[in-house]
Amino acid sequence: MNTRDWPIRSKLTALVVAPVSALLALWIFATTLTFGPALDLLSARTLFYDLGRPGEAVVVELQRERRLTVQQLAGNDELPALSEQRQRTDRALAELRHRVAGERLRDAADDLLDSRVDHLLGELNALPAGRGFVDGRQVDRAGAIGLYSGMIDAAFHTFAAMANLPDHDFNRQARALTALGRSRELLTRADALLAGVLASGRYAEGEHAQLVQTIGNQRFLTDTAVADLPAAARSAYQRLAEGEAFVRLRALQDALVRADPAEPPALDAGAWQASQGAVQRDLRDFELAQFDGLAERSVPVAVGILARLGAAGVLGLAAVVVSVLVALRGGRSLAERLSGVRTAALEMAEHRLPDVVARLRRGEEVDVAREAPPLEYGRDEIGQVGHAFNEVRRTAVRAAVDEVTLRRGLNEVFLNIARRSQGLVHRQLALLDKMERRTEDPDDLAELFQVDHLATRLRRHAEDLVILAGAAAGRGWRNPVAMLDVIRGAISEVESYERVDVVEVQPAATVGPAVGDIIHLLAELIENATAFSPPGTRVTVRGQRLPNGYAVEITDRGLGLSDPAIEEANERLATPPEFDPADSARLGLFVVARLADRHGVRVRLRRAVPNGTTAVVLVPSDLVTAEPSPDLGPEGSTDSRRMAKVTRLSTVPRSRAAGRTTRERGDAETAVLPLVPSRSVPADPTAGGDGLPRRVRQRGPAVHPRPADPDAPAPRAPEEARRLMSALQAGTARGRRDGTVPGPATADPASAAPPAPAALPQSPTATERDA
């Protein structure tokens, strides 16, 4: 059992309870050990008067009925005295059953005595059936003697169970008197056996041997019982045994033992009956007198034991109470003082110190002396611990002040560097935008788009620093932006954008102020999906309108995360922790959590089927609106230009040797019509062709007629040329990925124009940043 984690009060309670419980257990044990024998002595009187006296009366009546039964079986006539004796026996049995059924006797008896009493009652219940066998002369004299002797033996077994007193002298005397009663029973058994012999005039087979054995057992039991009697009782019995009746009966027994069993017994029946009756009466009176004296002496002895028990119990209980009071008083004092130290420590750790840190982060001034006042706990060991804790508290508050000051300075450094980097990146993107507008060579334009893509990713990393510093990135729109364009803008900020497929996006739009942060959030998740999945796999993005918002699912086919890792990541995303510079490996999740918390967006990770990970982004309904129409706003407006940038087709670099020049492409270029922003339609593999997805042709203001003369092409606008070359580059990349090299462009615009992957958003101009 580990007790190191127990509370202080529990440990002190255990220290108090263990010895006090042991002392109390010893007191209870000693009290019970003494109280039990006293109760046994008090119950001895109850047992004697409620069981001993009625049981002894039943034994006497059964002995008389046994003698008359044997006489009747030895003769041929019915004995009227037997019927009268049976009535007396039944009255004695009824009195015994009445006494035994009382609760007082059962409460005083132990388990052994209870079982013996039940056995005696069972034997007595067989008496009516035995009488029926006797009346029908279905048993002989030996059987009748065995019937009654079994009942009497059960009674003496019950009497022996009563002799279980705690006092050794009382117990030995009770056993001696019980043995003396059994010797008297053997004397009456010999009388019953001899009565049958005298009535029939001869010994039956084995009766003389049984008579001799019974007389020998009776004398042995008598000598053994008398030896265990107290001196006074033994002297009284010796005087009784020296009487005339005892001497005459012993002489008659000797004559019976020496007689020839083949001849009729030469015995004076009158002398035997008179001597045997006198001895029976004297022995019974002696036993009853001794039992009465034993029962009366048990009461004073029990009272004396109870008196001593009471004195010892009161003293022991007083000692227990004093021990408990002393232990409780000392334990309570220690517990209160230690609890005071604990309360102060918890209050400092859970309330004061966090409050100080929060106030410092809000820019408030903190007085260390007031926030960590000294506490007094005495001069003993606990007081010394309290003094040390006071020093620890002051040091902790001072360290918190220094740490928050350092963190505030670090955030300022982050923000300063990020703002400078943002300004440079915005200028770089503006310069690239001008260069792209002036350039018409496809290869140069592709390389410029590559640089534009790198600058766009650099802008996102600069925004990460702004987010880490706790500030807003500053990129936003006035009008809602279609969710498809938001997803394309996020894909364009990812390095491996060519591996991302937009599977299905239901129509919806995001309100302008949240567009920049939503693009950044999705870009971080998409970049994680491409970084932690094999290069040959695809990352799919789908969008779905829900009653409570708009859900964007980003699924990769990598190895995936374990359940504990997913649970830990979801916890970080739900409750963004404080930024820890040491935990830079999960910087993307931290940025996602910060952006999601800022706009109330819910982000959760889960296992993908059959493998990989799916990130579900739920944009709340207050940030979702209806998708704007393509011709929303004037063509030259700021939001229109910025929407064109986030929906612009992305490019991939090509080798100059592998591609054809503008002049070599000739009419194939002029046959490709400029495309307005639209959704891609997945290619049908069964339809033949080059395996590239087909764009559904739409009418729009961006489509311009081509000159009829190929030798004198009309000048094209920069936006038109950029869309044209982006379409060619994207189609070539898609064909290479699908394993099919596209052939020369045809004159059919529907078959010549490949679909657009995610667009590369450009940096906003000064006017866009102000928006």
Side-chain angles (χ1 to χ4, degrees):
M1 181 175 59
N2 185 12
T3 60
R4 297 185 60 183
D5 297 332
W6 285 13
I8 294 174
R9 190 175 297 274
S10 299
K11 292 181 180 180
L12 292 176
T13 302
L15 292 176
V16 172
V17 168
V20 171
S21 299
L23 182 60
L24 185 62
L26 288 175
W27 177 78
I28 294 174
F29 177 74
T31 303
T32 306
L33 200 63
T34 309
F35 189 68
L39 291 180
D40 292 340
L41 287 174
L42 290 176
S43 64
R45 182 183 177 89
T46 301
L47 295 177
F48 177 72
Y49 286 108
D50 289 352
L51 180 60
R53 280 298 185 93
E56 194 274 338
V58 169
V59 168
V60 171
E61 299 301 331
L62 287 175
Q63 290 172 346
R64 293 172 181 174
E65 184 176 342
R66 178 179 59 188
R67 186 177 189 280
L68 292 174
T69 299
V70 172
Q71 285 182 344
Q72 178 174 300
L73 291 176
N76 297 323
D77 299 331
E78 299 291 334
L79 296 179
L82 180 59
S83 298
E84 297 176 359
Q85 180 58 41
R86 287 179 177 178
Q87 294 177 2
R88 290 192 293 271
T89 303
D90 291 339
R91 287 194 294 271
L93 290 174
E95 178 65 19
L96 176 64
R97 290 191 176 96
H98 174 70
R99 294 292 185 90
V100 169
E103 295 182 359
R104 187 175 64 174
L105 176 63
R106 291 293 183 174
D107 293 339
D110 56 6
D111 295 338
L112 177 61
L113 184 58
D114 277 338
S115 62
R116 295 285 178 87
V117 170
D118 294 337
H119 177 69
L120 173 61
L121 294 178
E123 291 288 337
L124 295 176
N125 290 333
L127 182 59
R131 288 173 177 175
F133 292 144
V134 170
D135 294 340
R137 293 186 178 271
Q138 298 178 4
V139 295
D140 55 2
R141 292 177 293 177
I145 292 175
L147 173 66
Y148 286 95
S149 298
M151 300 177 189
I152 295 172
D153 288 341
F156 277 104
H157 289 158
T158 305
F159 298 155
M162 290 171 54
N164 191 21
L165 302 177
D167 189 274
H168 295 292
D169 294 335
F170 282 16
N171 197 35
R172 184 171 62 252
Q173 185 176 356
R175 292 181 182 275
L177 292 175
T178 302
L180 195 60
R182 292 184 68 88
S183 69
R184 182 166 56 86
E185 150 61 15
L186 292 176
L187 184 61
T188 58
R189 188 179 300 181
D191 176 61
L193 183 61
L194 188 58
V197 173
L198 294 176
S200 63
R202 63 183 181 84
Y203 288 104
E205 183 179 358
E207 284 186 342
H208 182 268
Q210 186 178 1
L211 178 63
V212 173
Q213 184 179 3
T214 302
I215 292 172
N217 291 338
Q218 182 263 328
R219 291 180 177 180
F220 173 77
L221 281 178
T222 300
D223 294 339
T224 304
V226 171
D228 290 335
L229 289 175
R234 189 165 56 250
S235 300
Y237 181 82
Q238 292 296 338
R239 289 192 299 270
L240 186 65
E242 293 174 357
E244 182 181 356
F246 279 84
V247 174
R248 187 186 313 116
L249 181 62
R250 179 173 290 273
L252 292 174
Q253 288 177 345
D254 293 340
L256 289 173
V257 171
R258 291 192 301 268
D260 186 2
E263 297 179 359
L267 180 69
D268 186 356
W272 170 265
Q273 188 64 33
S275 301
Q276 196 271 343
V279 170
Q280 285 280 350
R281 287 192 302 271
D282 293 342
L283 286 176
R284 185 166 181 261
D285 293 341
F286 177 79
E287 293 172 14
L288 293 177
Q290 293 297 322
F291 270 117
D292 289 340
L294 187 63
E296 294 299 329
R297 289 198 308 273
S298 65
V299 176
V301 174
V303 171
I305 294 175
L306 291 177
R308 293 192 298 272
L309 174 63
V314 170
L315 293 177
L317 184 60
V320 171
V321 171
V322 170
S323 301
V324 171
L325 291 178
V326 172
L328 288 179
R329 184 177 179 83
R332 184 181 302 170
S333 176
L334 290 175
E336 289 177 354
R337 298 177 64 192
L338 292 175
S339 297
V341 177
R342 170 183 174 274
T343 303
L346 292 179
E347 198 264 343
M348 170 58 68
E350 297 179 358
H351 300 287
R352 280 184 175 271
L353 197 58
D355 180 65
V356 168
V357 174
R359 288 160 54 193
L360 288 171
R361 289 178 179 175
R362 292 195 299 266
E364 301 179 10
E365 294 295 332
V366 174
D367 186 3
V368 177
R370 187 174 63 85
E371 296 297 334
L375 302 176
E376 295 295 333
Y377 297 101
R379 297 182 179 275
D380 58 355
E381 288 82 356
I382 298 178
Q384 295 172 6
V385 173
H387 178 72
F389 174 67
N390 288 332
E391 296 297 327
V392 171
R393 286 183 8 176
R394 283 192 290 268
T395 304
V397 173
R398 196 177 299 111
V401 173
D402 296 340
E403 188 269 338
V404 171
T405 304
L406 177 62
R407 184 182 291 269
R408 187 185 303 160
L410 184 62
N411 285 345
E412 293 295 334
V413 172
F414 280 172
L415 191 58
N416 190 7
I417 295 175
R419 293 302 187 193
R420 293 182 181 183
S421 300
Q422 275 189 315
L424 294 176
V425 171
H426 288 329
R427 292 169 59 185
Q428 181 181 3
L429 289 173
L431 180 60
L432 288 172
D433 187 60
K434 293 179 181 179
M435 295 174 65
E436 290 169 0
R437 292 176 184 272
R438 293 196 303 264
T439 303
E440 294 188 6
D441 184 84
D443 296 325
D444 295 339
L445 189 60
E447 292 177 353
L448 287 175
F449 281 174
Q450 268 193 304
V451 177
D452 192 309
H453 182 215
L454 294 175
T456 303
R457 289 169 53 204
L458 183 60
R459 178 183 59 187
R460 178 165 61 86
H461 296 321
E463 288 180 355
D464 287 344
L465 291 177
V466 176
I467 295 171
L468 293 178
R475 206 164 36 130
W477 276 253
R478 288 193 182 95
N479 297 323
V481 177
M483 191 61 70
L484 177 62
D485 296 335
V486 172
I487 295 174
R488 285 175 172 175
I491 296 173
S492 69
E493 296 188 3
V494 178
E495 180 179 3
S496 302
Y497 61 87
E498 71 278 359
R499 292 174 48 205
V500 183
D501 295 331
V502 181
V503 179
E504 177 185 2
V505 178
Q506 295 182 357
T510 303
V511 296
V515 169
D517 289 341
I518 298 298
I519 290 176
H520 195 145
L521 186 149
L522 295 177
E524 292 288 347
L525 294 175
I526 295 172
E527 186 166 42
N528 279 346
T530 58
F532 294 101
S533 60
T537 60
R538 310 295 299 171
V539 175
T540 59
V541 182
R542 66 178 69 246
Q544 182 180 5
R545 186 71 180 265
L546 299 177
N548 58 341
Y550 195 92
V552 178
E553 292 186 1
I554 302 166
T555 304
D556 66 75
R557 297 305 175 189
L559 297 177
L561 298 173
S562 61
D563 291 337
I566 291 178
E567 183 178 355
E568 180 183 359
N570 286 331
E571 184 177 357
R572 285 174 172 264
L573 292 172
T575 56
E578 291 292 333
F579 172 62
D580 184 7
D583 192 11
S584 59
R586 300 186 179 182
L587 189 61
L589 285 181
F590 179 80
V591 173
V592 170
R594 278 285 182 90
L595 295 174
D597 183 67
R598 180 181 300 171
H599 296 284
V601 178
R602 294 172 55 188
V603 182
R604 289 192 64 83
L605 303 182
R606 68 188 184 195
R607 286 182 175 272
V609 179
N611 63 314
T613 304
T614 297
V616 181
V617 179
L618 179 60
V619 182
S621 56
D622 56 349
L623 300 182
V624 180
T625 183
E627 184 176 84
S629 59
D631 57 351
L632 179 63
E635 185 178 355
S637 65
T638 301
D639 281 351
S640 298
R641 293 198 306 270
R642 300 181 70 191
M643 286 176 61
K645 291 174 183 178
V646 297
T647 58
R648 188 173 54 199
L649 301 178
S650 57
T651 63
V652 294
R654 292 189 306 165
S655 172
R656 292 181 179 269
R660 294 177 299 171
T661 63
T662 305
R663 294 182 180 273
E664 292 172 340
R665 283 192 290 269
D667 295 337
E669 291 183 6
T670 61
V672 180
L673 297 178
L675 300 177
V676 298
S678 61
R679 293 180 180 81
S680 299
V681 179
D684 185 4
T686 62
D690 56 2
L692 296 176
R694 303 302 181 193
R695 180 180 296 277
V696 178
R697 183 178 181 182
Q698 298 181 359
R699 296 179 180 177
V703 180
H704 301 283
R706 297 291 184 184
D709 187 5
D711 296 330
R716 289 192 294 262
E719 288 290 334
E720 180 182 346
R722 184 160 44 249
R723 285 195 297 270
L724 172 62
M725 301 315 299
S726 298
L728 288 175
Q729 294 289 349
T732 304
R734 183 67 60 87
R736 289 172 179 172
R737 185 173 60 251
D738 294 341
T740 305
V741 180
T746 62
D748 185 3
S751 61
L760 290 173
Q762 301 302 314
S763 61
T765 62
T767 305
E768 293 166 351
R769 287 197 298 272
D770 295 338

